[in-house]
Amino acid sequence: MKIFMTFEAPSEARFDKVLAAFQVAKFDSAFERKKYGESLNEVAFVLVCYTPIEELKQRIRMDRKERVLYIDLMFDLQDVLQVAIEIRHQLVAKKILAEVPFILAKYKFPNFDLIDFIKDLETFFRKKGWIG
C-alpha cells in the first residue's frame, strides 16, 4: 500500500513541518510492503488548512484506474495556530484515525482489509507517541 501526503495551507500553518515529521517517521515506507487487498493501491492525504474551513467542501475522489483514493483532511487554521508546531503532526494522526475508517467503509472496497489497515495506522501512531 502506498501512502502519500501533501497540503494546501498558508505558510503560517507550517504544514511543511508536519510533512517533515511524517517523512522522518517514515510514514509512507511503513506501509509500502503491506497488502490490504487488490482494490486499493494508494491513499493520498491532502491536508487542507484555512479559515473559515466551513466554507470549503471536503474532496474525496477515487481514481478507479490507478486504484488511488484521494482524501482531503480539513483543519481550521485558527485551531491549528493554537497548537505548537512541534505537535501538529498529532492533530493529523488523530484526524486520520477519526475520518479515514468511515471514508473507507463508505466506499466499500471489495477485498480490502479495512480492519488491518486501521490497526496498522493505530500501531504506527502509538509507536511514534502521536496518539494515547
Side-chain angles (χ1 to χ4, degrees), residues 70-120:
Y70 298 90
I71 302 171
D72 284 354
L73 298 173
M74 312 297 280
F75 298 88
D76 189 288
L77 179 59
Q78 297 308 313
D79 294 340
V80 168
L81 294 177
Q82 299 295 319
V83 179
I85 293 170
E86 296 79 18
I87 62 169
R88 291 181 188 171
H89 55 279
Q90 294 174 8
L91 290 176
V92 174
K94 289 175 184 174
K95 178 76 81 170
I96 288 171
L97 290 176
E99 294 187 12
V100 171
F102 298 106
I103 292 168
L104 290 172
K106 179 182 174 184
Y107 272 79
K108 299 177 185 173
F109 295 102
N111 305 320
F112 183 76
D113 193 341
L114 175 61
I115 293 170
D116 275 353
F117 181 61
I118 299 306
K119 187 177 0 171
D120 288 345

Side-chain angles (χ1 to χ4, degrees), residues 53-67:
I53 200 68
E54 298 82 23
E55 294 180 8
L56 299 176
K57 182 172 176 12
Q58 182 182 36
R59 297 167 297 188
I60 301 171
R61 185 177 72 82
M62 178 63 191
D63 180 335
R64 297 224 181 263
K65 181 180 177 188
E66 299 296 323
R67 298 184 308 223

Side-chain angles (χ1 to χ4, degrees), residues 34-47:
K34 304 271 186 171
K35 299 288 183 198
Y36 300 102
E38 300 299 319
S39 58
L40 192 58
N41 289 336
E42 181 175 355
V43 177
F45 298 110
V46 181
L47 311 178

